[in-house]
Amino acid sequence: MTASDIAIIAGSASRLLTATICADLGVRPCETTAKVFSEGNVYVSINENIRGRDACIIQSTTVPVNRNLMEMMFFIDAARRASARSVTVVIPWFSYAKGDKRDNDERVSIRARVCADMLETAGADRVLAVDLHAPQVQGFFRIPVDNLQAIGVLGEALRHQLDENSVSVAPDAGSAKRARQFAERLRLPLAVADKRRRAHDENAEVLEIMGDVRGKTCLIIDDFTLSGKTLTSAADRLL
């Protein structure tokens, strides 16, 4: 396979990333159109021949999440209908991966599984994600999923900024495994914050810190932030 065999399609949320990838590969992205009509409908088109080529669609599901999600689905379908040989979807940030389980036996949707079904139905052959919020999301798919980890790059960057008097901190129990990975790579001790969330909103309260943080430089490890309240609450409790 050569670079000319790959048709790289930039979603609206990932144009800069796509341009950087194409520059590194020495290719140009496909000519495409993506817009939203006045009533809210999303429209996409691939404006060149990709018949027999391996399509690679790069789209992050950042804000506006639902528009970017639907645009991604429509680009997959468009590539299929344009007779692409295969369709790989690169999702740098898979927002709905947060919805990976039912909470407290409530009657809720497992949103990550719904999105997995949508990607497969639209025609994706493979998904490439980055630091999925929950590893079990890979099991929601019947197609191959590669979950790239940024810890190697981030760990090397942090290694030169931290000393032996530092500690890796998980702002909640759900982040403990990720924080432990950083702790092991950087040879740091681990501390975990006990967080309580009273409702399905962005308000969380850190109750206590489990681990020794007195007099140490604290490295808080989390995979995403919305309002920043968990991180600031953890920082306040650490102080």
Side-chain angles (χ1 to χ4, degrees):
M1 180 188 296
T2 65
S4 61
D5 295 323
I6 304 174
I8 300 181
I9 297 167
S12 298
S14 299
R15 295 193 185 281
L16 180 58
L17 174 61
T18 304
T20 303
I21 292 172
C22 287
D24 189 60
L25 294 175
V27 299
R28 63 170 183 81
C30 287
E31 293 291 334
T32 61
T33 299
K35 60 184 178 181
V36 179
F37 292 118
S38 58
E39 81 277 38
N41 281 352
V42 176
Y43 168 87
V44 306
S45 68
I46 301 170
N47 303 328
E48 61 182 78
N49 185 9
I50 63 168
R51 181 181 296 274
R53 299 167 69 188
D54 294 299
C56 179
I57 299 165
I58 305 173
Q59 174 76 319
S60 191
T61 53
T62 52
V63 177
V65 175
N66 294 330
R67 173 199 162 165
N68 290 329
L69 178 66
M70 294 312 299
E71 181 185 293
M72 177 169 60
M73 299 300 172
F74 295 151
F75 267 129
I76 296 170
D77 182 67
R80 276 288 172 216
R81 295 178 187 279
S83 299
R85 179 166 58 183
S86 68
V87 178
T88 297
V89 185
V90 178
I91 312 175
W93 166 238
F94 187 6
S95 177
Y96 280 117
K98 293 178 291 181
D100 63 306
K101 61 185 181 302
R102 291 175 62 187
D103 297 315
N104 302 320
D105 293 325
E106 295 181 3
R107 296 176 180 85
V108 299
S109 168
I110 301 179
R111 293 161 291 159
R113 176 56 193 269
V114 174
C115 290
D117 289 343
M118 291 170 62
L119 282 159
E120 291 182 31
T121 301
D125 294 300
R126 178 182 294 273
V127 171
L128 192 154
V130 181
D131 281 319
L132 284 171
H133 179 62
Q136 63 264 29
V137 171
Q138 290 177 278
F140 293 169
F141 291 84
R142 290 179 292 271
I143 58 176
V145 177
D146 295 309
N147 182 26
L148 301 186
Q149 308 268 327
I151 186 172
V153 176
L154 295 177
E156 286 305 308
L158 289 166
R159 192 183 303 279
H160 305 293
Q161 302 182 40
L162 302 171
D163 55 30
E164 65 278 0
N165 196 39
S166 302
V167 57
S168 177
V169 179
D172 55 35
S175 301
K177 182 177 181 180
R178 185 174 284 106
R180 185 180 295 109
Q181 290 174 334
F182 275 87
E184 292 173 351
R185 179 173 287 268
L186 298 172
R187 298 181 180 179
L188 303 176
L190 175 69
V192 180
D194 180 22
K195 182 180 75 172
R196 177 175 60 188
R197 191 183 302 275
R198 299 181 184 274
H200 290 288
D201 54 27
E202 297 173 12
N203 297 312
E205 177 187 7
V206 174
L207 303 177
E208 62 176 319
I209 302 293
M210 293 172 282
D212 180 17
V213 299
R214 185 179 298 276
K216 296 183 181 293
T217 298
C218 295
L219 172 67
I220 303 178
I221 302 295
D222 209 350
D223 63 333
F224 72 93
T225 182
L226 299 176
S227 66
K229 291 180 180 178
T230 293
L231 296 181
T232 54
S233 180
D236 287 341
R237 183 63 68 178
L238 288 167
L239 293 172

